[in-house]
Amino acid sequence: MTSGTFLPYLNGSYGLAIVESAKREIGAPVQVDVRGRKIDAEMVKLPFYKREQ
């Protein structure tokens, strides 16, 4: 993880990470280490949130 936080407007935790190129497929399941705990996550396309105008 390079950065991450809870986003109240999406009601969830989101983050950015450096990932091996073999696992960069959109929708691919991954695990991230959050303070020593393995958490299931999913690869999504950036930007993952687009504000409505």
Side-chain angles (χ1 to χ4, degrees):
M1 296 294 299
T2 57
S3 65
T5 190
F6 181 80
L7 301 176
Y9 49 88
L10 294 177
N11 197 30
S13 298
Y14 291 80
L16 296 174
I18 297 171
V19 180
E20 296 175 29
S21 61
K23 298 191 179 206
R24 289 178 42 183
E25 183 178 324
I26 301 302
V30 294
Q31 281 195 327
V32 294
D33 185 326
V34 179
R35 297 182 198 99
R37 296 180 313 161
K38 298 287 185 186
I39 306 292
D40 291 330
E42 177 184 345
M43 298 292 294
V44 297
K45 186 177 178 180
L46 290 176
F48 54 83
Y49 175 76
K50 192 166 188 178
R51 186 190 216 167
E52 293 182 20
Q53 299 278 331

